[in-house]
Amino acid sequence: MKKLTNFTILSLFFFSGIMSSCKKDILETIPNDRVSSAIYWRTESDAIYGVNSVYSALDAVNLFVLDGVSDIGHTNTTFTVEFNIENGTYDASHSRIQTEWQNGFRGIFLANDVLANIDKITTTNTALLDRLKAETRVLRAYYYLKLTGLYGDVPLITNPITAAEGLSIARTSQADVYEFISTELAAASSALPASYPTAEKGRITKGAALALKARAHLWSGDFAQAAEAAKAVIDLNVYGLVDEYGKLFTYAMENSKEVVFDKQFLAGTLTHNSFAYMGPYSQRNSSSNFVPTKALADLYTMKNGKEITDPDAGFDPMQPYLNRDPRMRYTMYLDGDPLPSGILFKPVPGQGGADEVGKTQYNTSTGYSLKKYVVAEDLQTPGASGLNFILLRYAEVLLTYAEAKIELNQLDASVYDAINAIRTRPDVGLPELQAGLSQDELRKIVRRERTIELAFEGWRLFDIRRWKIGEQVMRGPVYGITYFENGNPVTIEVPSVTRVFDPAKHYIWPVPQKETALNPALGQNPGW
């Protein structure tokens, strides 16, 4: 099957050499080792390749970082730069702060270049150009949504700018950025198809535009529009939940009905290193760069739907994974689970397992290890996975709809239906919520469901920020598994880790120091 990434590779080649317009000089010739703007933007293929290049800036493995510096994840090796974010010692010079800013604006630069030039193409197929422009506008909105979620006010740039202009441009208020995102997604959705032929899988659809709109309004606190946009996705009748949550992040489930928006990869051609980056150390020396924490593990209820702290739940500390929400085992490797290589995951100290906590600096420090995107097919080439990365799936749409309705205090049957659809997925099988719950009860439930359902898919940090719960969940020690030693329970406390969260500044990242040094007009966020 021809995948989007085939287009992306070609477009990366083309766009690596696009330059500003060539001077009309008799001695100046068009270079033959790159694509010049003097000869580009002439054919429909130019338009397609140009738009494909905008997809190349989409997120993938870097999404693990954003969950890894939240409460549900821990930076496993304390000598990596992300550990500074986790313990609150980072500042505007931090490399991750620069990288996320740079990547976001790279995508915006590519999108603006396409939108400024695509109409130069002469064609009778105006519907194609309209669709490609709509795809580009959605991608640009995606980049802006993530940027404003991380940094607050950011420069709103909608046209190509010169280097000189870039040295004086100011930031736009977050409210105005959200308004721009909403307007763009609403307009673009009308020009996009509900689906594509198999060869075009991975392109932005109408549903992706509307689902991103729902996400944007949820983040901005406009719950009425969030519910409306999510309901529009539901009413398309294009998407649905797959029966097996446990297979969502495998090759077998690529392009399933649950995938609304993803970044496409192709084994052997365009790859990423999710297995090597996140797999247990015993699996060909994978790195376990970020590992789940006790905070995440404890959120998974018993199979009967009761929290593990409920005396009537049936939780057995001696068998802590017995009769738990199955999503726990689908999300993380637990003691005794089979690994891709065929051995068992054995993290408990003193038991001699290859993944024993403390055995090497790369072994899991909490006793948990991520399972999503760590699949047996990639064992032999852990640094070259071809798995597609899901950026938005239908379960999030349902949770967005439910949360928005709960915040509006519109506690009708559709709220229960949305949450219950996720809880009662065939391979999850939790009991349905019964009607009559209060707004506060439903708020607690939907937030827990969102956290565990979407764990390590990249969006927990944004939820913490908009719920304003950083002070409660991102301070203090980091804990891991509880095991028994001489009959006594021992809970792992990761050594030398004390998380710090300052609400006066940590709800948004600083503007990168390199950017403010080049352009003082950007200013800086409070506290930084």
Side-chain angles (χ1 to χ4, degrees):
M1 181 180 71
K2 189 175 184 180
K3 299 174 76 176
L4 173 65
T5 46
N6 297 333
F7 291 129
T8 306
I9 294 163
L10 284 170
S11 55
L12 282 172
F13 165 76
F14 279 106
F15 270 75
S16 65
I18 284 184
M19 307 180 301
S20 59
S21 296
C22 300
K23 295 179 180 179
K24 301 297 184 181
D25 191 302
I26 192 170
L27 297 179
E28 186 170 311
T29 59
I30 294 174
N32 58 16
D33 64 341
R34 69 200 71 178
V35 180
S36 167
S37 59
I39 59 173
Y40 205 74
W41 300 115
R42 295 183 178 180
T43 68
E44 291 178 9
S45 292
D46 290 345
I48 293 170
Y49 293 145
V51 174
N52 289 342
S53 75
V54 187
Y55 284 87
S56 69
L58 285 172
D59 296 304
V61 174
N62 63 302
L63 288 176
F64 293 136
V65 175
L66 298 180
D67 274 6
V69 298
S70 74
D71 61 324
I72 66 171
H74 166 60
T75 306
N76 197 46
T77 47
T78 57
F79 53 81
T80 56
V81 293
E82 286 76 23
F83 181 67
N84 301 122
I85 300 178
E86 184 177 353
N87 69 10
T89 61
Y90 66 107
D91 58 25
S93 66
H94 193 279
S95 60
R96 173 57 58 181
I97 305 303
Q98 174 68 35
T99 298
E100 292 294 344
W101 178 283
Q102 185 173 308
N103 287 350
F105 278 105
R106 173 177 171 265
I108 290 164
F109 166 83
L110 292 170
N112 287 343
D113 189 75
V114 168
L115 294 171
N117 289 287
I118 194 169
D119 285 328
K120 295 176 181 177
I121 294 170
T122 302
T123 177
T124 58
N125 192 357
T126 55
L128 172 64
L129 295 191
D130 287 344
R131 192 204 81 200
L132 291 171
K133 285 186 284 188
E135 289 180 53
T136 305
R137 293 171 75 179
V138 173
L139 290 167
R140 184 173 61 180
Y142 172 89
Y143 299 130
Y144 264 120
L145 179 56
K146 186 181 174 199
L147 283 168
T148 197
L150 290 174
Y151 303 95
D153 300 347
V154 293
L156 183 57
I157 306 168
T158 59
N159 295 290
I161 60 174
T162 66
E165 289 170 330
L167 296 177
S168 60
I169 194 165
R171 290 189 288 162
T172 301
S173 73
Q174 186 178 60
D176 287 344
V177 175
Y178 275 131
E179 181 61 31
F180 170 78
I181 291 167
S182 176
T183 301
E184 286 288 281
L185 293 174
S189 65
S190 63
L192 289 166
S195 62
Y196 289 91
T198 299
E200 299 286 346
K201 287 289 186 182
R203 290 196 174 278
I204 297 289
T205 60
K206 180 187 295 291
L210 292 170
L212 278 173
K213 189 172 187 289
R215 178 189 283 177
H217 285 301
L218 190 73
W219 287 11
S220 69
D222 189 341
F223 301 118
Q225 289 207 59
E228 181 181 340
K231 185 63 164 57
V233 180
I234 296 168
D235 289 345
L236 288 174
N237 293 316
V238 171
Y239 306 101
L241 300 177
V242 300
D243 289 345
E244 297 175 284
Y245 180 94
K247 293 183 178 179
L248 265 171
F249 305 92
T250 66
Y251 287 102
M253 283 294 180
E254 287 189 328
N255 301 312
S256 74
K257 65 181 180 179
E258 189 158 341
V259 177
V260 179
F261 180 30
D262 66 358
K263 183 174 184 177
Q264 301 251 320
F265 289 86
L266 187 63
T269 304
L270 187 64
T271 62
H272 57 80
N273 66 338
S274 64
F275 192 115
Y277 196 60
M278 296 297 290
Y281 182 67
S282 66
Q283 304 302 286
R284 300 180 65 87
N285 293 343
S286 294
S287 303
S288 292
N289 276 270
F290 304 96
V291 291
T293 63
K294 176 179 170 62
L296 174 61
D298 286 354
L299 286 175
Y300 293 94
T301 67
M302 299 298 290
K303 190 71 183 290
N304 59 21
K306 297 181 183 294
E307 296 182 39
I308 62 173
T309 54
D310 187 329
D312 299 323
F315 176 69
D316 181 359
M318 298 291 291
Q319 302 181 84
Y321 313 128
L322 182 66
N323 295 326
R324 299 289 292 277
D325 180 337
R327 288 173 293 184
M328 183 181 192
R329 184 160 260 120
Y330 299 147
T331 299
M332 63 180 82
Y333 285 109
L334 305 173
D335 185 29
D337 283 353
L339 293 168
S341 68
I343 69 170
L344 299 182
F345 181 64
K346 302 297 293 182
V348 175
Q351 292 190 357
D355 292 299
E356 180 181 321
V357 171
K359 193 168 188 176
T360 78
Q361 61 184 338
Y362 298 106
N363 280 38
T364 171
S365 55
T366 63
Y368 303 111
S369 192
L370 188 70
K371 186 177 289 187
K372 289 181 178 179
Y373 296 107
V374 179
V375 298
E377 293 94 327
D378 291 336
L379 177 64
Q380 298 307 313
T381 55
S385 174
L387 268 176
N388 295 341
F389 250 86
I390 302 173
L391 302 177
L392 204 162
R393 55 189 176 90
Y394 188 61
E396 181 186 339
V397 174
L398 293 176
L399 289 167
T400 294
Y401 175 77
E403 182 181 344
K405 294 274 285 185
I406 291 167
E407 293 302 327
L408 294 168
N409 206 23
Q410 298 174 359
L411 311 182
D412 57 30
S414 67
V415 172
Y416 290 87
D417 291 344
I419 300 174
N420 285 334
I422 293 168
R423 290 169 59 89
T424 62
R425 193 194 297 257
D427 75 339
V428 174
L430 295 186
E432 290 188 354
L433 300 176
Q434 298 302 307
L437 298 173
S438 69
Q439 183 185 38
D440 285 343
E441 289 171 327
L442 283 169
R443 180 183 290 123
K444 179 182 177 182
I445 289 169
V446 79
R447 289 185 178 187
R448 182 176 65 234
E449 287 292 330
R450 187 176 178 91
T451 304
I452 61 181
E453 174 74 19
L454 305 177
F456 278 92
E457 295 178 41
W459 312 114
R460 173 62 174 171
L461 187 64
F462 301 93
D463 287 344
I464 289 171
R465 290 178 170 193
R466 65 189 181 83
W467 293 335
K468 292 293 185 287
I469 59 172
E471 301 95 310
Q472 290 78 50
V473 303
M474 293 181 67
R475 284 177 170 171
V478 172
Y479 297 102
I481 60 172
T482 297
Y483 63 98
F484 283 81
E485 194 173 85
N486 299 322
N488 298 311
V490 178
T491 297
I492 287 177
E493 180 178 335
V494 181
S496 305
V497 177
T498 301
R499 284 179 162 157
V500 174
F501 185 89
D502 181 355
K505 65 178 184 178
H506 286 154
Y507 275 115
I508 49 176
W509 281 354
V511 178
Q513 186 178 68
K514 288 182 180 179
E515 305 301 326
T516 57
L518 288 169
N519 177 15
L522 290 172
Q524 188 52 275
N525 285 325
W528 295 102

